Amino acid sequence: MNELVLQPILKLGVDLGFSCALAGVAGLLSHHLYFIRGFHVLNATKITCIHLFAFALLLARAAAENGFLPGARSAVAIFSSYLAVLFLSIAIYRVAFHPLRRFPGPFPAKVTKLYGPWLARNKRIGDEFRVLHQKHGHFVRVGPNEISISHADALKQIHGLQTACSKKNNASYEAIQFRGEHNLDSLTDHAEHRQRRKVWDKALSKATALTYEAETRIVVKSWLDQLERLHGASVDTSLYAKHIACDNMGRIGYSRDFRNIQGDGDSRMFDMIEITFRTMSKLGQLIWPLVLLFSLPRFGLQKKFEELSVALVDERLKRHNDSEDLHDIMRLFIEDFLSSKPQAFWNRNILYADAQAIMVASTETIACSLSFSFFFVARDAALQRQLREAIAPAYGRTLPGEFTMADLQGIEFLDAVINETLRLCAPVPLNGPRSTPPQGIEIGGTYIPGNVHIYTPPHVYHRNPEYFQYPDEFIVERWLTRPELILDKRAFLPFSLAGRYDCVGKSVALNVLRLTLAYTVWHYDFELAPGQSDSAFMNGYVDQIVVKPAPLKCIFTKWSRPGERGQGSAVEAGKEYPGAVQDDDLPELRQRFGRAQSTR
């Protein structure tokens, strides 16, 4: 409350009506002199404390003059007048005078950020955005100062190397910090991000990623050993996808074996890794409660997650001094930290912050993609056999009796299966917002004002019939023999685009997916377990910023080697698998695969 107005209010106490009117004026001034100017989400704690203090002061003065109960009623009436006028002024401005007032969208989204939690109420915010775009077109106002865009021209302009858009003045990133330091993804300063990104790029480049191959192979072999021990029992493949991703993260990130696949790991680890995104997803795009929450002492799983990141870094620092033979992501971070002139890691808290980023980014997205990949391969035996035939030439080519990342990278059919999985089931349905430059930008003939937060949700692009024919169907051939099914390849953005904020771990993620799928398909036939339906899996996921797939029960049976196979167990190399899509098949896709994916 404006301090100049507060004092007269406190002195009056006699004329309640006049005091309420004066409080209303204070609310109007607060909006036009402060709240309407700039971004104040990061000041949520300070703003809340100031208003609570002002109310306490008002209550104390009114109670001293009129007694507690009459004074409390007067204080509530005066403060409510202030808040009522403040929020009414905000609502009128957003509806009638805001630069985004002419953009289509749900009316509540224009008025309040509380529409974000409403969209997230069913934990399917990606689907909600898709419905909004189907109704309103390429540009939808999804918040008072937020626009979601599904126009293909927007992708390069917003995410490309030459973009004027940025992460600055964006609380979705700036609120995420640990002891005052941001991780790579939440950095908004271009210069600092560029320096930090150089170290990350070196740690996760294609060449460096190959040095992690032995560790990833150990993880995959542990997965195969576990299947051997289970002897054909029903396996929750979604759970093991998380185990694989997490154990791989431990090995290539910290030279640490978490032993989740063997069942010896910390059962709370997944909950710890998911906790921040889970909280954010419930809030939709509403960030200020998160700012308030992060200003409080940590507790529960959030505290455990941060303690884990600290312990991993501290342990890795000790091991770094004892051995130079450890080759992991943290090695390059630590080398920069210990150097005489650090390039990016100036203090230990930055190591802790990026250690958290490694845990989240290297686990959740890979686990999601791997789970959905298992699903699409398990439900189509013909596709599974064709995939086995496609990878056969790579088996033992470089390393006897093994697959290597280098040999798998050139297999088109394997990459087509992965690409179609990532298209149909984007691990991150909504990407993080960007802020338009002060001068604004023009996309497809539509002008977006400056300092507006804009989204380009992958789930909306990937499921848009303007860009992909039969967008709700899993069709591997669109990446191989049926390129006409891709109407605009720009709309495929599973790892963001080639900009300064593209996915730094793309090579590592693809390597894990390729190796895991190749080894699993080569050694096992697998299918959906009895009672496991397509719809239960496809409709059972939870959107927690990164999609959390539903349980997926599969049966794995050891595959007989060539020469031992029975008739019809595999198709000949080079032939189309029986389920391959032909021109005449396209209208029958929904009958062939069912309608379980119609909304996902």
Side-chain angles (χ1 to χ4, degrees), residues 285-305:
Q285 310 309 310
L286 188 65
I287 303 299
W288 65 261
L290 199 65
V291 175
L292 289 175
L293 183 64
F294 281 175
S295 68
L296 301 174
R298 303 295 197 264
F299 59 91
L301 287 174
Q302 185 67 45
K303 181 180 180 181
K304 295 293 184 183
F305 173 64

Side-chain angles (χ1 to χ4, degrees), residues 19-84:
S19 297
C20 290
L22 200 56
V25 172
L28 193 65
L29 291 174
S30 295
H31 178 217
H32 288 275
L33 297 179
Y34 178 73
F35 288 106
I36 205 173
R37 302 177 186 277
F39 298 96
H40 304 292
V41 177
L42 295 180
N43 297 324
T45 302
K46 184 185 297 184
I47 292 170
T48 301
C49 290
I50 289 174
H51 281 74
L52 289 175
F53 177 76
F55 177 72
L57 191 62
L58 178 62
L59 177 60
R61 176 62 65 87
E65 292 182 356
N66 304 304
F68 181 75
L69 288 179
R73 285 193 291 267
S74 298
V76 169
I78 294 170
F79 202 72
S80 297
S81 300
Y82 162 79
L83 292 176

Side-chain angles (χ1 to χ4, degrees), residues 180-197:
E181 299 293 351
H182 294 275
N183 63 44
L184 178 73
D185 185 61
S186 64
L187 276 174
T188 60
D189 182 84
H190 287 338
E192 187 176 355
H193 180 273
R194 183 166 55 251
Q195 293 301 107
R196 185 94 61 90
R197 180 61 187 258

Side-chain angles (χ1 to χ4, degrees), residues 5 8 20 38 111 153 197 223 260 282 289 303 315 342 392 406 417 455-456 459 519:
V5 180
C20 290
V111 176
D153 290 348
R197 180 61 187 258
W223 156 239
N260 287 294
K282 291 178 181 178
K303 181 180 180 181
E315 175 189 294
V417 171
Y455 296 86
T456 51
H459 181 67
Y519 273 105

Side-chain angles (χ1 to χ4, degrees), residues 163-294:
T163 183
C165 298
S166 70
K167 293 183 177 181
K168 291 184 177 181
N169 296 321
N170 198 320
S172 297
Y173 302 104
E174 294 175 351
I176 307 300
Q177 51 84 26
F178 178 72
R179 297 179 183 174
E181 299 293 351
H182 294 275
N183 63 44
L184 178 73
D185 185 61
S186 64
L187 276 174
T188 60
D189 182 84
H190 287 338
E192 187 176 355
H193 180 273
R194 183 166 55 251
Q195 293 301 107
R196 185 94 61 90
R197 180 61 187 258
K198 288 179 181 178
V199 182
W200 273 84
D201 283 338
K202 187 177 180 181
L204 292 170
S205 66
K206 288 184 178 180
T208 309
L210 293 176
T211 66
Y212 307 141
E213 179 173 347
E215 301 299 333
T216 301
R217 186 177 286 108
I218 290 173
V219 172
V220 175
K221 289 298 183 67
S222 296
W223 156 239
L224 297 179
D225 290 344
Q226 187 68 7
L227 289 178
E228 181 77 21
R229 286 191 288 270
L230 291 171
H231 295 295
S234 177
V235 176
D236 185 351
T237 317
S238 288
L239 178 61
Y240 275 97
K242 295 174 74 170
H243 288 330
I244 292 168
C246 191
D247 284 0
N248 183 72
M249 176 270 294
R251 285 184 169 274
I252 72 171
Y254 312 96
S255 296
R256 172 83 173 269
D257 187 0
F258 289 129
R259 295 186 59 81
N260 287 294
I261 294 175
Q262 294 89 340
D264 300 330
D266 187 341
S267 60
R268 301 172 301 167
M269 180 169 290
F270 302 125
D271 288 331
M272 286 189 283
I273 291 174
E274 293 172 2
I275 184 61
T276 301
F277 279 175
R278 186 188 306 161
T279 303
M280 292 180 66
S281 67
K282 291 178 181 178
L283 294 172
Q285 310 309 310
L286 188 65
I287 303 299
W288 65 261
L290 199 65
V291 175
L292 289 175
L293 183 64
F294 281 175

Side-chain angles (χ1 to χ4, degrees), residues 479-491:
W479 305 98
L480 299 166
T481 59
R482 302 301 306 276
E484 70 275 10
L485 297 182
I486 302 176
L487 304 177
D488 194 333
K489 201 169 185 178
R490 294 178 301 170

Side-chain angles (χ1 to χ4, degrees), residues 39 145-147 149 154-155 157-160 163-170 172-173 185 187-188 190 193 197 430-437 441 448-456 495-497 499-503:
F39 298 96
N145 196 50
E146 289 80 33
I147 294 289
I149 305 172
L155 299 174
Q157 287 182 254
I158 295 172
H159 301 284
T163 183
C165 298
S166 70
K167 293 183 177 181
K168 291 184 177 181
N169 296 321
N170 198 320
S172 297
Y173 302 104
D185 185 61
L187 276 174
T188 60
H190 287 338
H193 180 273
R197 180 61 187 258
L430 303 182
N431 55 14
R434 299 291 187 265
S435 298
T436 56
I441 58 173
I448 310 292
N451 301 315
V452 168
H453 295 157
I454 46 180
Y455 296 86
T456 51
F495 297 101
S496 188
L497 299 177
R500 60 173 65 95
Y501 297 116
D502 68 334
C503 179

